[in-house]
Amino acid sequence: MVTDNRATYAGTMPDTAWSPDAWRSHPLAQSPDWPDPDHLARVERTLAAKPPLVFAGEARTLQAHLAEAAAGRAFLLQAGDCAESFHEAAADQIRDKLRVILQMAVVLTYGSGVPVVKVGRIAGQFAKPRTEPYEERDGVRLEAFRGHIVNSEEFTPEARRPDPERLLAAYHQSVATLNLLRAFTTGGFAALSRVHQWNQEFVAHSLEGKRYEVLADEIERALAFMRACGIDLHDDQALQGVEFFTSHEALILPYEQALTRRDSLTGDWYDCSAHQLWIGDRTRQLDGAHVAFLAGVANPLGLKVGPTMEPTELLRLCERLNPGNVAGRLTLISRMGVERLEERLAPLVAALAAEGRAEHWTCDPMHGNTFVTVAGQKTRRFDDVATETATFFRVLSELSTWPAGLHIELTGGDVTECLGGGSRLGEDDLTLNYTSICDPRLNATQSLDLAFHVAEYLRDYGASSGERSL
Ligand code: PEP
Ligand code: CO
């Protein structure tokens, strides 16, 4: 799936007294109320003896690609579930998620002319931060649903009881998911010659699906032309498969610590539960446990940046998480909401640029745009998602900063969770096929629709900035 670039790499982490359990002496936000700490400790020991999910060298390769995105020579597409589910792990569901990400990547690559770095919110994205730690219904108060790695969504005391065995179940599901992803991405399914087959039937009938067919035809013609010129396409790795990386929010630190290993080559610590780990908007306290943990691992990191973030706070976080100011180490993920993006983002981008910071900016146009309908459904409007993305591109362009990526929640299925877009869903349609256990996701048609929008923004950006300034 991915190769190591170890020849060019030496350990880069500062030599500090950091250890994988250093977070335990810091305030821990968003932690479940584990009823049996001994049980949790037993599970942590079991997990610590398991094989890693990813290798340090793969994480380094991703960081090298992200450094290209930071330099304006690549674009990051980070996409997948809000929360993976223990009930949605069939091969078809994983394949369909990958399929829509591949489709989006093709549209973006073709539109922008720059390589697209593909990172899934997958094979570990099980934990959810909650605004309220408890949920109350008819006078009954239970622990909030925190994702399948902690508890279950049904409103009963048994289902909501945090259960450490779920950490093991999450590990095993991640292993199986990653195994399948590695097979799909290297075993022929992701070969560019199959570009037509990524268009699922229900997408193919939509306007976006037809637009995709036209593009796929053009790619096929180009491949045929290259074959006719005598170029052996079977030999070319880049055409026969894709590099695909995994990521999730590093929320449940006992799980993350248990999968953290010292790399024999560089001596650095890596959290081997995924290639990239990010810190959520609710756990980014400078002195908090999540920042203390991730500051010490050498994986590339993400940091959600919401509307309450102030420039000085962000600067301190960047210095703490990326003390060497290394390009590719820290992906900043703006998630402001369409209303506040312009006002909140511009001062942050300007403050970092003034300090010569190397971090790159990506856009999560989902998490600031969630609302509940009168009928009680959590949803997002496609138009808000597209507008926040367009505003992100404009604001960054005005500050001569490369818009380095897009971070979204999607699924490969024909779900009815977000309004509008390619599938033209209205509020009455939301109940038809709403299967997310947490936030509403774009379906495959809406995802493709967004990719065509972003391809245009990227083209416009290239046109307006001439030689890309950074
Ligand atoms: C998420 O990405 O699923 C999430 C909870 O995001 P945020 O931390 O930005 O709210
Ligand atoms: Co979410």
Side-chain angles (χ1 to χ4, degrees):
M1 181 167 74
V2 283
T3 49
D4 191 356
N5 63 342
R6 61 174 65 185
T8 59
Y9 207 90
T12 58
M13 297 303 286
D15 191 20
T16 61
W18 187 91
S19 66
D21 64 354
W23 59 272
R24 292 183 191 261
S25 57
H26 293 257
L28 178 61
Q30 293 286 337
S31 176
D33 200 357
W34 298 105
D36 181 352
D38 290 341
H39 188 180
L40 178 63
R42 278 198 305 280
V43 167
E44 286 177 69
R45 284 194 293 276
T46 307
L47 264 180
K50 299 273 185 203
L53 277 131
V54 303
F55 293 137
E58 297 174 335
R60 284 195 285 276
T61 299
L62 173 58
Q63 183 156 314
H65 292 331
L66 293 172
E68 285 295 291
R73 294 190 293 263
F75 188 78
L76 166 65
L77 174 62
Q78 189 163 13
D81 266 308
C82 175
E84 285 176 274
S85 162
F86 283 1
H87 315 308
E88 255 196 29
D92 288 3
Q93 286 156 333
I94 296 165
R95 180 202 57 207
D96 290 348
K97 231 173 280 175
L98 177 66
R99 177 136 82 168
V100 68
I101 293 173
L102 293 177
Q103 273 192 301
M104 290 185 78
V106 159
V107 170
L108 292 170
T109 311
Y110 201 81
S112 69
V114 297
V116 172
V117 184
K118 294 164 271 294
V119 178
R121 293 174 54 115
I122 201 163
Q125 175 49 24
F126 290 106
K128 296 317 299 173
R130 305 319 305 235
T131 309
E132 301 296 335
Y134 297 99
E135 186 179 338
E136 198 166 322
R137 290 188 204 172
D138 305 322
V140 179
R141 199 175 85 131
L142 298 176
E143 172 112 13
F145 170 51
R146 293 182 179 277
H148 281 168
I149 194 170
V150 175
N151 58 8
S152 195
E153 64 273 31
E154 301 83 16
F155 192 77
T156 65
E158 303 73 47
R160 291 295 173 91
R161 190 168 192 271
D163 178 1
E165 293 299 321
R166 287 176 168 271
L167 268 59
L168 284 170
Y171 169 80
H172 288 297
Q173 183 165 318
S174 300
V175 170
T177 302
L178 193 51
N179 184 45
L180 198 65
L181 285 171
R182 289 186 194 270
F184 277 136
T185 51
T186 57
F189 180 78
L192 201 54
S193 56
R194 300 180 71 163
V195 65
H196 274 291
Q197 289 162 38
W198 304 336
N199 211 9
Q200 296 184 73
E201 211 168 307
F202 73 88
V203 182
H205 295 305
S206 68
L207 210 65
E208 291 69 29
K210 292 189 180 120
R211 220 173 143 188
Y212 177 82
E213 284 294 314
V214 173
L215 194 149
D217 282 345
E218 283 179 31
I219 291 172
E220 234 170 31
R221 262 201 304 278
L223 292 175
F225 173 76
M226 283 156 72
R227 261 192 300 271
C229 293
I231 300 167
D232 185 357
L233 303 181
H234 287 291
D235 262 6
D236 196 317
Q237 279 298 314
L239 297 177
Q240 292 310 319
V242 294
E243 281 189 308
F244 190 82
F245 300 90
T246 60
S247 70
H248 61 259
E249 177 174 351
L251 188 68
I252 304 298
L253 295 182
Y255 178 84
E256 304 302 337
Q257 181 192 330
L259 289 168
T260 297
R261 309 290 152 80
R262 201 192 266 280
D263 175 36
S264 56
L265 197 74
T266 61
D268 287 339
W269 290 99
Y270 281 83
D271 181 346
C272 296
S273 70
H275 299 110
Q276 193 229 42
L277 289 311
W278 78 83
I279 303 179
D281 198 41
R282 295 168 188 77
T283 48
R284 58 171 168 74
Q285 301 79 11
L286 198 55
D287 188 42
H290 294 84
V291 170
F293 175 72
L294 284 178
V297 298
N299 306 59
L301 306 177
L303 175 68
K304 291 290 195 100
V305 179
T308 59
M309 180 76 92
E310 295 298 336
T312 45
E313 192 185 2
L314 180 59
L315 267 168
R316 285 207 196 99
L317 280 164
C318 289
E319 282 159 5
R320 178 107 166 83
L321 294 168
N322 186 15
N325 203 18
V326 177
R329 156 75 170 169
L330 183 57
T331 299
L332 301 174
I333 310 160
S334 159
R335 38 86 80 219
M336 302 293 182
V338 66
E339 301 288 336
R340 286 187 282 182
L341 180 109
E342 177 139 25
E343 166 216 343
R344 300 302 305 173
L345 181 63
L348 298 173
V349 176
L352 260 52
E355 292 295 318
R357 296 297 315 177
E359 287 78 21
H360 51 283
W361 284 96
T362 66
C363 176
D364 166 358
M366 313 291 293
H367 285 90
N369 296 315
T370 318
F371 69 98
V372 179
T373 64
V374 179
Q377 291 278 0
K378 213 183 194 192
T379 189
R380 292 159 174 158
R381 284 189 200 89
F382 179 86
D383 284 352
D384 290 343
V385 170
T387 307
E388 177 161 350
T389 312
T391 313
F392 172 83
F393 271 75
R394 183 172 52 72
V395 168
L396 263 65
S397 166
E398 284 165 9
L399 291 164
S400 302
T401 301
W402 171 242
L406 179 72
H407 183 122
I408 54 167
E409 291 183 343
L410 57 69
T411 184
D414 196 8
V415 301
T416 57
E417 298 169 8
C418 291
L419 299 167
S423 25
R424 286 154 198 79
L425 296 175
E427 284 195 18
D428 292 345
D429 301 318
L430 291 180
T431 49
L432 293 176
N433 190 22
Y434 196 115
T435 59
S436 175
I437 52 168
C438 195
D439 289 343
R441 305 159 296 180
L442 298 176
N443 63 28
T445 314
Q446 291 166 327
S447 302
L448 200 53
D449 195 354
L450 185 64
F452 279 114
H453 277 77
V454 174
E456 259 165 50
Y457 308 151
L458 279 166
R459 250 196 311 268
D460 290 351
Y461 187 97
S464 67
S465 60
E467 275 296 290
R468 264 179 225 123
S469 48
L470 293 168

